[in-house]
């Protein structure tokens, strides 16, 4: 019986690992969640087979370079019958991290995953080296709903999004890019994201309003509804507004929490996106309600700031749900923290946590996952 | 005449048999039909051989006394007659309904050379002469049958030959000698030649043709387990334009032969006559084979951990099986496993115009090999697949190849919780397509041999698929030794 190949088209090596070493992979009782950490110098790669039947899979490369494997694998090979095996993998979520990957190998893996039903892909702490030719056919990768990148560096630097996009199918709904080395996209080469609803650029402290302009390629995000800019070095709410206006971006929800926002004395009038109805300014060290906010909002979150007096109605836009928890003035006026009965956790629409668990959302709101 | 020099009226005549009552009642699973074209070829080849044999005819001397006007009495001798050359041109080999075949040779010639001596008193004359025997016609009936062991037999009957014309050229050209020849020798010589020809034919049929027919196999070997029975079921049927030979065509297990469970149905052969010979093989032959393969255990398989390559990291044990059955290690923490595949019943070959297909139904049962007791069954799966078969007709063997489609797997029963059937199905298909089917095809590539006598090659092969039988047409080449 032919041995079944492990992931990443890696060939099996004869056993070097002594039986006493713990195995790199662990599968939970129900067979749903599988996690592999290949941190040993010579790990047992084939142990990854354990994850073939799981839904939620993680592979961590222990920081190693995968370049030596490129010689042993033909990333252009016709996968033949192996595609049926890939098709039958029940993987829904995949996380790959902690490795140095040659671009042909990464895109080869994306091509292979195109046959699977994968919905969410997370790339963490990867260094993508070299570059490769575009695919022979467009959109040969998986039909993802969500793509998350965190601390991923690319040899193609500014052109990485355009390069990566060639391998993705157009149905992407949520794109998260954190700790990016470059968000200065070569907009001309970036294609439209026809289904992208949420763009999350949080945790890019150097971005600022200037960086945001280069990131929000005009007309490339026609379906965008939510923009998350937590911890992105934004300075003023109105500054963000002018960037949005310049980029002609339509939004319904904007998350500016965890930025140190300044108060500008005279804020020039700015046309906020007309459909904007949710604005999150929590954890922004605001001492007073900023000027130049949209005139009408469904939700305005000013919680966990430095407001030392209760905002007056003329300082505020017309808001259906106003959140003020965690501000100093509440210590003096404990009953006016709530204008309506609202829940303290951040609106679900702006919560971009993976897990369904509510505690995780609260912890995130408390800044533990900044 | 040596048996190895090739039979008289050889090749397809090898398939002609004396009809004696055979195993009456049974239908053949393989029928060889020889058409007009085939008989024509046989006659042509046969003639070449006959020609060679005729050249070896020995002719007697003709001696006597003569009495001639003015010359008186004397003694003549025509001696050392030798056949120089023989040309048989026209031949026709036709079926003789109810009996066998009838061979007719016409427009043929024999050239004879000899010496003559004439003496009177003490005067001696001598010289040589040439004979041109023309317009020879021969006709002989070949009666076909089979002996009790199922072997073919042939006897010649009713042989007649006639010489219509004879030209003689005597050296010296003396008139009296010519007259002498015409009056006293010619008719004798004619009779001798005519008799010799028929004698030769009779002898050749017995000592050459009959042994050649016996080179037709009665049982042929497929491999070390299986053989095929090609004994004749009944006397061959000679019809208006063709001859049908009926072979049993039953595949059997050489170690353990049992009679087939059901009789072979009748085949209705089409009227094709473009090629020299057609073989009709009933799908019943394949189904008997399938049953025999099944009973011999060929169609079952078992996979255990020790069958995997020793340096393979993927093993066949409960831990490695978790992707398919995540909860198996709750009860069986780390034990070896065995997968046993059985074919539920012998797959039947479905022959319909255009394709051949099989629909084998398999069951795969998974066992955990407990350290100190019998293996425990933990799950059962049903596997159904459609397999299309293609046949190639390669010289003297019919070989097959299976083109499997993907198998469909369903869970019958699991004692260890959830079973990831789709994932198992894809791995199983990978194994079947890359290992099991190629092994089966290697087995089928051995083929089974067609019943042919020695020195026969088939070419221009044409395969037709009819309802319930395969019809293989071919032209014949006899390899002249």
């Amino acid at each position: 019986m032919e041995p079944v190949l492990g992931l990443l088209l890696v060939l099996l090596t004869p056993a070097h690992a002594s039986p006493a070493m713990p195995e790199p992979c662990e599968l939970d009782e129900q067979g749903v969640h599988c996690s592999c950490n290949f941190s040993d110098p010579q790990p047992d790669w084939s142990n990854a087979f354990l994850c073939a039947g799981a839904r939620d899979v993680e592979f961590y490369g222990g920081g190693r370079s995968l370049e030596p494997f490129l010689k042993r694998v033909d990333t252009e090979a016709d996968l033949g019958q192996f595609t049926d095996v890939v098709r039958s993998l029940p993987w829904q979520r995949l996380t790959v991290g902690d490795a140095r990957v040659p671009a042909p190998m990464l895109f080869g893996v994306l091509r292979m995953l195109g046959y699977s039903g994968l919905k969410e892909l997370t790339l963490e702490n990867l260094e993508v080296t070299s570059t490769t030719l575009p695919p022979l056919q467009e959109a040969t990768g998986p039909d993802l709903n969500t793509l998350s990148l965190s601390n991923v560096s690319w040899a193609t630097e500014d052109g990485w999004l355009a390069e990566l996009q060639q391998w993705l199918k157009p149905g992407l709904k949520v794109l998260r890019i954190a700790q990016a080395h470059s968000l200065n996209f070569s907009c001309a080469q970036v294609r439209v994201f026809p289904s992208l609803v949420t763009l999350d650029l949080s945790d890019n402290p150097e971005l600022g309003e200037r960086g945001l302009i280069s990131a929000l390629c005009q007309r490339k995000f026609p379906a965008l509804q939510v923009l998350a800019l937590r911890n992105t070095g934004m300075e003023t709410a109105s500054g963000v507004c002018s960037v949005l206006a310049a980029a002609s971006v339509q939004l319904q929800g904007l998350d500016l929490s965890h930025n140190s926002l300044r108060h500008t004395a005279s804020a020039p009038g700015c046309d906020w996106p007309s459909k904007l109805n949710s604005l999150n300014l929590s954890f922004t060290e605001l001492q007073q309600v900023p000027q130049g906010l949209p005139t009408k909002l469904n939700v305005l979150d000013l919680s966990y700031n430095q407001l030392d007096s209760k905002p007056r109605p003329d300082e505020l836009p017309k808001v259906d749900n106003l959140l003020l928890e965690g501000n100093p003035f509440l210590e003096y006026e404990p009953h006016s923290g709530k204008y309506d009965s609202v829940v303290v956790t951040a609106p679900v629409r702006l919560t971009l946590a993976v897990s369904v668990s509510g505690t995780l959302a609260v912890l995130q709101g408390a800044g533990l996952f900044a | 005449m040596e048996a190895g020099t090739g039979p008289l009226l050889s090749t397809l005549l090898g398939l002609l048999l004396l009809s004696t009552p055979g195993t009456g009642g049974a239908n053949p699973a393989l029928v060889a039909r020889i058409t007009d074209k085939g008989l024509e070829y046989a006659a042509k080849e046969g003639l070449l051989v006959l020609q060679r044999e005729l050249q070896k005819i020995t002719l007697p001397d003709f001696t006597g006394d003569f009495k001639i006007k003015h010359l008186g009495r004397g003694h003549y001798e025509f001696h050392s007659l030798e056949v120089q050359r023989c040309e048989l041109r026209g031949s026709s080999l036709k079926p003789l309904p109810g009996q066998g075949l009838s061979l007719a040779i016409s427009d043929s010639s024999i050239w004879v050379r000899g010496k003559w001596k004439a003496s009177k008193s003490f005067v001696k004359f001598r010289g040589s002469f040439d004979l041109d025997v023309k317009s020879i016609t021969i006709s002989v009936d070949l009666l076909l049958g089979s002996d009790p062991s199922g072997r073919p037999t042939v006897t010649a009957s009713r042989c007649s030959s006639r010489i219509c014309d004879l030209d003689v050229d005597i050296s010296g050209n003396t008139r009296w000698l010519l007259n002498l020849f015409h009056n006293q020798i010619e008719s004798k010589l004619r009779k001798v030649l005519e008799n010799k020809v028929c004698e030769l034919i009779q002898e050749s049929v017995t000592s050459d043709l009959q042994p050649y027919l016996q080179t037709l196999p009665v049982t042929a070997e497929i491999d070390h387990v299986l053989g095929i029975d090609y004994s004749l079921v009944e006397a061959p049927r000679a019809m208006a334009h063709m001859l049908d030979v009926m072979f049993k065509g039953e595949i059997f297990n050489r170690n353990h032969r049992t009679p087939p469970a059901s009789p072979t149905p009748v085949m209705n052969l089409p009227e094709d006559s473009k090629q020299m010979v057609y073989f009709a093989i009933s799908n019943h032959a394949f189904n008997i084979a399938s049953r025999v393969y099944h009973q011999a255990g060929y169609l079952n398989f078992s996979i255990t951990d020790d069958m995997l390559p020793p340096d393979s990291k993927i093993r066949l044990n409960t831990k490695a099986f978790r992707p398919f059955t995540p909860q198996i290690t709750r009860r069986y923490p780390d034990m070896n496993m065995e997968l046993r595949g059985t074919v539920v019943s012998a797959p039947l070959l479905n022959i319909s115009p255009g394709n051949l297909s099989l629909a084998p139904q398999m069951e795969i049962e998974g066992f955990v090999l407990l350290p100190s007791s019998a293996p425990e069954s933990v799950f059962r799966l049903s596997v159904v697949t459609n397999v299309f078969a293609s046949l190639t007709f390669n010289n003297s063997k019919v070989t097959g190849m299976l083109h499997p489609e993907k198998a469909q797997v369903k869970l019958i029963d699991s004692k260890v919780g959830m079973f990831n059937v789709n994932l198992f199905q894809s791995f199983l298909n990978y194994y079947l397509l890359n290992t099991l089917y190629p092994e089966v095809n290697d087995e089928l590539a051995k083929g089974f041999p067609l019943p042919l006598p020695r020195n026969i090659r088939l070419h221009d092969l044409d395969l037709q698929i009819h309802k319930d039988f395969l019809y293989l047409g071919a032209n014949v080449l006899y390899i002249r030794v």
Side-chain angles (χ1 to χ4, degrees), chain B residues 299-467:
Chain B
L299 302 179
N300 299 335
F301 65 86
S302 153
I303 308 171
T304 47
D305 183 64
D306 52 8
M307 288 163 63
L308 303 179
D311 57 357
S312 158
K313 307 300 284 303
I314 309 283
R315 310 307 313 175
L316 185 52
N317 56 35
T318 51
K319 268 168 78 171
F321 222 71
R322 283 199 74 204
F324 307 117
T325 52
Q327 287 145 356
I328 194 170
T329 46
R330 261 197 225 160
R331 227 193 314 167
Y332 307 101
D334 191 5
M335 293 169 205
N336 277 344
M337 292 179 70
E338 180 186 351
L339 295 178
R340 283 187 214 160
T342 52
V343 176
V344 170
S345 57
L348 297 178
L349 185 66
N350 179 11
I351 302 181
S352 59
N355 65 49
L356 308 170
S357 63
L358 286 167
Q361 279 187 306
M362 269 200 292
E363 247 184 47
I364 296 185
E365 198 169 354
F367 289 88
V368 172
L369 304 177
L370 299 172
S372 55
S373 57
E376 232 170 70
S377 166
V378 286
F379 61 80
R380 276 190 317 142
L381 303 162
S382 97
V383 181
V384 172
T385 183
N386 264 335
V387 178
F388 289 95
S390 66
L391 288 179
T392 44
F393 188 4
N394 162 11
N395 209 341
S396 59
K397 286 206 290 187
V398 179
T399 57
M401 198 162 90
L402 299 182
H403 307 274
E405 305 220 309
K406 304 216 176 85
Q408 307 287 326
V409 179
K410 286 205 180 68
L411 181 68
I412 300 175
D413 180 29
S414 163
K415 297 197 175 79
V416 286
M418 189 197 110
F419 198 105
N420 216 328
V421 178
N422 280 345
L423 191 65
F424 185 83
Q425 182 175 292
S426 69
F427 278 104
L428 179 70
N429 277 316
Y430 191 79
Y431 167 74
L432 290 179
L433 270 59
N434 286 296
T435 306
L436 188 69
Y437 279 117
E439 278 175 7
V440 171
N441 282 334
D442 281 344
E443 195 59 38
L444 292 180
K446 290 181 190 159
F448 68 86
L450 290 170
L452 296 172
R454 244 184 8 215
N455 298 341
I456 299 285
R457 297 280 178 273
L458 301 173
H459 63 103
D460 296 339
L461 308 176
D462 172 53
L463 173 60
Q464 294 172 30
I465 302 175
H466 290 256
K467 181 148 186 9

Side-chain angles (χ1 to χ4, degrees), chain B residues 126-398:
Chain B
R126 58 164 65 98
S128 65
F129 68 94
D130 285 308
L131 276 178
D132 183 0
V133 186
K134 300 196 287 204
S135 311
I136 305 174
T137 54
I138 310 170
S139 115
V140 62
D141 283 353
L142 296 165
L143 302 180
L144 318 172
S146 66
D147 66 16
S149 72
R151 287 197 144 85
T153 58
V154 58
T155 52
S157 87
R158 212 188 57 78
C159 177
S160 71
S161 72
R162 222 160 67 84
I163 297 171
C164 291
D165 205 355
L166 202 137
D167 274 350
V168 63
D169 182 16
I170 302 185
S171 69
N173 238 344
T174 37
R175 178 157 220 100
W176 62 267
L177 201 51
L178 271 169
N179 286 338
L180 178 70
F181 182 86
H182 283 304
N183 295 333
Q184 303 206 18
I185 295 176
E186 189 175 321
S187 54
K188 273 194 249 176
L189 183 59
R190 261 193 210 198
K191 272 210 179 47
V192 166
L193 268 173
E194 282 166 2
N195 288 340
K196 283 274 177 184
V197 164
C198 270
E199 216 177 272
L200 186 87
I201 290 179
Q202 299 267 25
E203 198 187 312
S204 211
V205 166
T206 333
S207 60
D208 289 336
L209 185 57
Q210 173 92 328
Y212 179 71
L213 295 192
Q214 308 266 321
T215 65
L216 258 180
V218 171
T219 56
E221 198 183 280
I222 295 176
D223 64 16
H224 60 280
V225 174
L226 300 172
I228 183 163
D229 182 349
Y230 275 137
S231 57
L232 302 178
V233 160
E234 62 167 78
R237 268 175 236 155
M239 296 167 291
H241 294 284
M242 53 195 115
L243 184 74
D244 280 355
V245 184
M246 265 69 88
F247 297 91
K248 202 167 187 186
E250 177 191 310
I251 293 185
F252 60 90
N253 185 332
R254 285 157 68 197
N255 302 326
H256 173 62
R257 186 166 183 177
T258 50
S262 52
T264 312
V266 173
M267 292 186 275
N268 291 319
L269 306 191
E271 299 279 311
D272 290 19
S273 56
K274 281 204 310 277
Q275 294 185 281
M276 292 184 195
V277 65
Y278 291 91
F279 293 92
I281 307 176
S282 166
N283 72 334
H284 197 70
F286 296 107
N287 291 335
I288 294 178
S290 169
R291 213 162 284 138
V292 172
Y293 272 112
H294 184 226
Q295 281 163 355
Y298 274 28
L299 302 179
N300 299 335
F301 65 86
S302 153
I303 308 171
T304 47
D305 183 64
D306 52 8
M307 288 163 63
L308 303 179
D311 57 357
S312 158
K313 307 300 284 303
I314 309 283
R315 310 307 313 175
L316 185 52
N317 56 35
T318 51
K319 268 168 78 171
F321 222 71
R322 283 199 74 204
F324 307 117
T325 52
Q327 287 145 356
I328 194 170
T329 46
R330 261 197 225 160
R331 227 193 314 167
Y332 307 101
D334 191 5
M335 293 169 205
N336 277 344
M337 292 179 70
E338 180 186 351
L339 295 178
R340 283 187 214 160
T342 52
V343 176
V344 170
S345 57
L348 297 178
L349 185 66
N350 179 11
I351 302 181
S352 59
N355 65 49
L356 308 170
S357 63
L358 286 167
Q361 279 187 306
M362 269 200 292
E363 247 184 47
I364 296 185
E365 198 169 354
F367 289 88
V368 172
L369 304 177
L370 299 172
S372 55
S373 57
E376 232 170 70
S377 166
V378 286
F379 61 80
R380 276 190 317 142
L381 303 162
S382 97
V383 181
V384 172
T385 183
N386 264 335
V387 178
F388 289 95
S390 66
L391 288 179
T392 44
F393 188 4
N394 162 11
N395 209 341
S396 59
K397 286 206 290 187
V398 179

